[in-house]
Amino acid sequence: MKPSVLSFFLLLSSFFILLSTASCRRKEAAPPPPPPPVNHLVLRNLADEFPGEIQTADWAGQVQLLVFFRTDDTPSRSTIPEWNALQTEYAGRGFTVIGLAADPRPAAALAQETASLGAAFPVGLADPPVVAAFGGPDAIRAIPTAFLLDRNGAIARAYAGFEPWPILRADIDAALDGLPLPSLATDQDPEPAAD
C-alpha cells in the first residue's frame, strides 16, 4: 500500500473511532434546580384547609422569624404565646413570625391542630421544597428549629431547640436595627494559675 493510501485509511479509522466513542459517552443528568431562596417561599396555608398561600415575599424588607415546629408537640404548643408576644411586640418595627409545620401527617389533621393553636401569625406546611431551601432535613436538627432572616432575606442565625427568649429578643432587635447580631460566645473559665 502506498503511504498516502495508508495515511488516508489511518485517518479514516481514527475518525470513526472518535465518532463511536463520542456517541457512547454518557450524557450527564442536569443538576436539580436550586431550592427557592428562603425569602421567596410559597407555603401551603394550614388555616381553613388551605384557602390560599403564604408567600414570604409578602414580608420582603422585614425581619422574619421562620419557626419549624410540630402542631402536636406539647413544648412547641406551649411556646405559641411567646411567639405571639414577639409578633405583637415587634410587628410595628417590621417583623413577623411565620410558623412552618414540619410534620408528615395528613394536611387535614395539621389544619385542624393549627386552628386550635391560637397563633397570631401565619402557619404553613413545611413540605420538602421548603425544607430544602433551608438545607434539607439535616438543617432541621430539633423541634422547634427557627431561622432569623434579616431585612435582605438572608439567614442571620439559626436556632435549634428552644433559644432563651432574651437572646432571641437581642437578635431580633439587632436585625431590626440593621446591626450585627450579638456574639453567642460563652465566657470560658480562665486557666488555672500556675504555681
Side-chain angles (χ1 to χ4, degrees):
M1 237 189 243
K2 291 186 178 179
S4 60
V5 173
L6 182 61
S7 298
F8 174 74
F9 281 118
L10 287 175
L11 183 62
L12 189 60
S13 298
S14 299
F15 173 74
F16 283 117
I17 290 172
L18 285 174
L19 185 62
S20 66
T21 58
S23 65
C24 291
R25 287 187 191 146
R26 286 187 166 178
K27 293 184 179 180
E28 293 183 23
V38 294
N39 59 342
H40 289 94
L41 297 175
V42 177
L43 310 171
R44 292 179 16 178
N45 191 348
L46 284 174
D48 300 327
E49 206 59 46
F50 308 110
E53 297 174 332
I54 299 167
Q55 298 189 29
T56 58
D58 290 346
W59 293 278
Q62 293 190 21
V63 173
Q64 300 175 38
L65 182 67
L66 285 86
V67 182
F68 287 83
F69 69 102
R70 284 185 58 115
T71 57
D72 65 344
D73 178 59
T74 301
S76 291
R77 291 177 71 89
S78 68
T79 58
I80 296 291
E82 283 87 355
W83 292 331
N84 285 344
L86 292 176
Q87 174 70 30
T88 302
E89 180 179 347
Y90 291 108
R93 292 179 58 195
F95 172 81
T96 193
V97 175
I98 299 173
L100 297 135
D103 195 324
R105 291 179 300 140
L110 299 177
Q112 185 176 14
E113 288 175 0
T114 299
S116 69
L117 291 176
F121 49 87
V123 178
L125 183 63
D127 55 15
V130 170
V131 173
F134 288 92
D138 292 340
I140 314 301
R141 299 188 313 261
I143 293 296
T145 291
F147 295 89
L148 184 65
L149 306 185
D150 65 16
R151 291 187 185 274
N152 297 318
I155 297 174
R157 185 160 288 157
Y159 311 92
F162 294 96
E163 193 66 35
W165 294 108
I167 291 174
L168 190 55
R169 287 178 185 282
D171 288 353
I172 293 169
D173 280 323
L176 286 168
D177 293 337
L179 301 173
L181 272 54
S183 172
L184 293 180
T186 58
D187 293 333
Q188 296 182 3
D189 293 332
E191 291 185 24
D195 289 330

